[in-house]
Amino acid sequence: MFFTYLRRELRRRRKAALVVASGLALGIALVIVVDSVTAGMSRAQAKVLESLYGLGTDMTVTKAASPPGEGDAVRRPRFRFDAGEGTDGAQQSQDVVMVQGFETLTASTVAKVAAQDGVADAVGGLSARVMKVDGRFASGEVRPAQPGQAPGQGGAGGEVRGGGADFGVDSYTVYGTDVAHQGLGPLTSSKITSGRTFTAGETSAKVAVVDSAHAKEQGLTVGEKLTVSGTAYTVIGVATADSGDASADVYLPLAEAQTLADAKGRVTTVYVRATDSQRIDEVKGAVQKNVPGTTVTTSADLADTVSGSLSTASDLATGVGKWLSIVVLGAAFVVAGLLTSSAVSRRVREFGTLKALGWRSGRVTRQVAGEALAHGLIGGALGIGAGLAGAWAVTAFGPTLTAELGGGAGGGGGQRFAGGPGGGGGPVRETATRALDVALTAPVSLTTIGLAVALAVTGGLVAGGFGGWRAARLRPADALRRVG
């Protein structure tokens, strides 16, 4: 009897049912779109952070470089070339490899961090920069002294003209990776597109993996030699960054990078994976307490430094979008309740007659609540459909967002050399930003669908509560007064 009466009333009051369901559908669809866009923002931010630290890294441990004190010597790149006899016109080249970004930590720091409660894995890495200078010296031409030339003018034997030096400066980044533990670190954010990656036994091998952009620029392919500071390394693989911007131009075994940078037994960054994502803050506190003198940066800390259109859109989605969806959904619930209550007031004769025929107030209330719940489920179905369509449209036609990350984060911060090679100024921490383009997506999860169903049921119950309260107060006498 309940379902027969319910089906008949829904058919008879199709327009009213559609109005109530449409209001609920609008609110539910907006919630789905906002929730999916917010999830897409989180995924985009995670992709940006992975481009710095690689997959699976929950935090990094570094040691910030302290400003030089008065009288402290500042290490500057120094290049020395022999300009003696036989060097005229000959190609000259020299590399200087320097640690970049942060002060180094001892390799034992990696073991200390790994021993902390809540740490699943910890791997050290060394970030360095190679400054390469090459070019030629050219001898000048000595011209005999002319008659009447003042003594000493142009030298004892005459005047020297022409000559000089023509040198170019190139710079690229090198990352030393622990080949025995390749599950963490910047190399995991790249995909090997040619050749292979390192093997666990190549801890001291003269091999290198080169980023695809750097390989194209330098004309390097698998099997060719890459010479760094006089040491030849065989290119065994070419890697392409998933984010389009690699963390380093060249990847070497950690021991080799340490030797080149004169930093044996040292690392610049410890990459950490927690046993549980819910314990990241706890692990951060433990490392800061038990490994003094270090700076711990979590993915959440890095997310706060992301700027650009990605950050702006994320703020809109999490702030304005969520509040808007809450307001619209609340309004939809109220409107659905008022419409249901109004419909009950127009059905006084019907409900009063049913009570006169023996229906109890509880049965009338359940009938009204059942109709309202049906409206909510219909609105939920419409809302889920509209929400899925909206999420698909965002993914298909959404804009490409730009994320800007400050340089020097983690192990990827750069250096510049003020004053030029060999000049004054020394290495200075670079504050330039890295800009990454990320396509906006709006993934819809099963949790979001479940939330939509729950909202539909809640909306139906809210509307049913309004209407049922009105229906329970009706008396058979009200129906009799309206007959005739």
Side-chain angles (χ1 to χ4, degrees):
M1 180 67 180
F2 173 82
F3 290 104
T4 301
Y5 192 85
L6 175 64
R7 186 170 57 252
R8 191 195 71 183
E9 289 303 312
L10 289 176
R11 267 201 314 265
R12 206 163 59 118
R13 307 177 189 280
R14 286 191 297 269
K15 290 184 178 180
L18 186 59
V19 170
V20 174
S22 297
L24 291 174
L26 176 62
I28 291 170
L30 186 59
V31 169
I32 292 176
V33 172
V34 170
D35 189 74
S36 59
V37 169
T38 302
M41 296 295 177
S42 299
R43 181 179 294 184
Q45 285 188 331
K47 187 175 182 180
V48 170
L49 301 182
E50 285 172 3
S51 71
L52 284 180
Y53 289 164
L55 297 169
T57 301
D58 293 317
M59 67 187 73
T60 59
V61 180
T62 57
K63 184 178 182 180
S66 56
E70 186 177 351
D72 290 347
V74 179
R75 184 186 175 191
R76 299 184 178 92
R78 184 177 297 276
F79 301 90
R80 293 185 176 90
F81 296 100
D82 182 10
E85 186 178 353
T87 61
D88 184 24
Q91 184 75 21
Q92 302 250 14
S93 179
Q94 188 178 357
D95 296 343
V96 172
V97 184
M98 300 182 67
V99 172
Q100 72 161 353
F102 295 91
E103 287 190 7
T104 58
L105 300 163
T106 61
S108 61
T109 305
V110 181
K112 289 181 183 178
V113 172
Q116 302 304 309
D117 185 37
V119 174
D121 198 7
V123 176
L126 183 76
S127 185
R129 180 170 291 275
V130 179
M131 297 285 293
K132 184 180 183 66
V133 176
D134 59 356
R136 292 179 174 86
F137 290 106
S139 299
E141 179 184 354
V142 180
R143 294 188 177 183
Q146 300 296 321
Q149 189 174 17
Q153 188 176 10
E159 183 181 7
V160 179
R161 290 189 177 182
D166 182 14
F167 282 82
V169 180
D170 191 16
S171 173
Y172 59 91
T173 55
V174 170
Y175 174 74
T177 181
D178 187 345
V179 297
H181 302 85
Q182 298 186 55
L184 289 177
L187 184 55
T188 59
S189 64
S190 296
K191 193 175 297 181
I192 301 296
T193 52
S194 179
R196 63 176 179 84
T197 188
F198 302 105
T199 63
E202 293 177 326
T203 54
S204 299
K206 301 296 188 289
V207 292
V209 173
V210 184
D211 176 64
S212 57
H214 186 69
K216 182 178 180 180
E217 180 184 346
Q218 300 297 324
L220 294 170
T221 58
V222 175
E224 292 188 353
K225 297 291 185 180
L226 169 67
T227 302
V228 183
S229 195
T231 303
Y233 293 90
T234 303
V235 177
I236 60 172
V238 175
T240 301
D242 290 336
S243 64
D245 191 3
S247 298
D249 297 317
V250 177
Y251 300 89
L252 297 175
L254 179 58
E256 288 298 313
Q258 290 170 332
T259 300
L260 289 172
D262 193 22
K264 287 191 175 182
R266 315 288 295 185
V267 297
T268 52
T269 309
V270 181
Y271 301 89
V272 182
R273 178 190 291 127
T275 55
D276 187 344
S277 60
Q278 303 301 318
R279 300 187 62 186
I280 291 178
D281 290 337
E282 176 188 339
V283 174
K284 176 181 178 179
V287 174
Q288 288 176 325
K289 177 182 178 181
N290 300 322
V291 190
T294 58
T295 300
V296 183
T297 305
T298 66
S299 55
D301 297 331
L302 274 182
D304 292 338
T305 69
V306 176
S307 59
S309 59
L310 173 60
S311 178
T312 303
S314 180
D315 291 342
L316 287 173
T318 56
V320 178
K322 283 191 175 181
W323 277 111
L324 178 62
S325 62
I326 290 172
V327 170
V328 171
L329 189 63
F333 282 4
V334 172
V335 170
L338 293 176
L339 288 175
T340 303
S341 178
S342 175
V344 169
S345 65
R346 292 194 300 270
R347 298 166 67 185
V348 171
R349 182 191 304 177
E350 175 187 344
F351 290 136
T353 303
L354 290 175
K355 281 192 170 186
L357 294 175
W359 280 40
R360 296 182 179 276
S361 296
R363 185 175 180 182
V364 174
T365 301
R366 286 194 298 273
Q367 192 68 46
V368 173
E371 293 176 19
L373 184 59
H375 296 162
L377 293 177
I378 295 172
L382 294 175
I384 291 173
L388 291 176
W392 174 83
V394 171
T395 302
F397 307 106
T400 297
L401 303 177
T402 300
E404 294 180 356
L405 289 160
Q415 291 179 347
R416 60 181 175 86
F417 294 90
V428 180
R429 180 74 60 81
E430 190 175 61
T431 58
T433 58
R434 291 179 58 191
L436 301 175
D437 291 333
V438 183
L440 176 61
T441 61
V444 180
S445 63
L446 291 177
T447 302
T448 303
I449 299 297
L451 175 64
V453 173
L455 291 175
V457 173
T458 303
L461 293 177
V462 169
F466 274 98
W469 175 74
R470 288 292 304 275
R473 298 178 61 192
L474 295 177
R475 294 175 301 170
D478 295 327
L480 297 176
R481 280 197 298 268
R482 299 197 180 194
V483 173

